Structure formats: structure tokens, C-alpha cells
Amino acid sequence: MYDLLLKGGRIYDGSGMPSYNGDVGIKNGKIVEIGRLKESATRTLNVDGLAVAPGFIDPHTHLDAQLFWDPLGTSSCFHGVTSVVLGNCGLSLAPAKAENRDAVIKSFVRVEAISRRVLEEGVQWKWISTAE
Ligand SMILES: [Zn+2]
């Protein structure tokens, strides 16, 4: 028995192959089967007429600072994006030694049009390296 069954959707599996109609069975938070499924589920969603696709990766965002006050990146995830790449266009909040943070803030003020006050108060500067 699936925990969740997405029934009758148009499946775009991300492989590059043409889309097809089918069902998606989910158990313990993972897709366990795709096809014309007969097994029952705790919860079934009729997704007829809807696209069923893995989350999209947005390789070019400018969410670096925004994620501090919008940790879900709602401008992306509300549109199906589940992964984002930061640090584009030569802008990144990391690495940033304490003595360089003002220069980083100036760049974000100028390029991203985010106010200095928002960057100083909205970003918790607790790192030096990118890994941190
Ligand atoms: Zn850019």
C-alpha cells in the first residue's frame, strides 16, 4: 500500500523522453513505482489534467540574501523549483571575512537594490568560508 498515490497525471520524468499518462506511487516519502498502478493508498490525489514532474533546478538565481528572510525561497518553490544555485553574476555572500563584509554589502546594495539596513539586519553574518 502506498502512502500517497498520484492518479492519472501527465508524467514528465526529467529523462528527456516524451511525457506520458500514468500514476505515481509514493511510500515513506519516496517514489516507489510509476505506471498504471492498481495498489491502494492511504491518500489518493486525482491529478488528471495536471503535470507531474520532479522539482526543477534553477541554476541562476539571486536569492543569496533573500533566503535569510524567506528560507523557502517562495518566489522559486511556488513555481516548482526545488533546488537553486546561488552566487551568480559574481555576487555571493560567501566567502566573506568580517573585514570584507561591508564591500559585499555595498555590492548587493548596488546590484541587487537591497537596502543596506535589510542586509545588515536581515543577514546573520556567521561565516567566513563558503562551506560555513
Ligand atoms: Zn545573474
Side-chain angles (χ1 to χ4, degrees):
M1 177 186 269
Y2 305 115
D3 298 327
L4 175 64
L5 178 61
L6 305 178
K7 194 78 177 162
R10 186 78 185 166
I11 297 171
Y12 298 82
D13 66 8
S15 69
M17 297 298 290
S19 62
Y20 53 94
N21 292 318
D23 314 317
V24 177
I26 298 167
K27 194 180 288 185
N28 297 321
K30 294 185 177 179
I31 294 172
V32 293
E33 199 166 9
I34 299 174
R36 300 274 184 202
L37 307 180
K38 302 292 180 205
E39 198 173 321
S40 62
T42 304
R43 183 173 176 220
T44 299
L45 293 177
N46 178 0
V47 295
D48 182 39
L50 300 176
V52 179
F56 297 103
I57 300 169
D58 187 343
H60 191 134
T61 72
H62 287 237
L63 296 173
D64 306 62
Q66 181 179 326
L67 292 176
F68 282 92
W69 55 85
D70 178 17
L72 294 178
T74 53
S75 60
S76 289
C77 73
F78 285 180
H79 297 94
V81 173
T82 55
S83 300
V84 297
V85 177
L86 306 176
N88 286 293
C89 296
L91 287 174
S92 179
L93 294 177
K97 293 178 183 172
E99 61 269 28
N100 296 333
R101 288 183 185 147
D102 191 62
V104 173
I105 288 172
K106 282 180 183 171
S107 292
F108 273 78
V109 167
R110 182 181 174 98
V111 177
E112 303 289 351
I114 301 171
S115 80
R116 170 173 283 280
R117 182 170 172 225
V118 166
L119 289 162
E120 289 174 344
E121 296 179 12
V123 177
Q124 295 81 51
W125 298 89
K126 296 178 180 174
W127 64 88
I128 294 171
S129 71
T130 301
E132 290 171 310

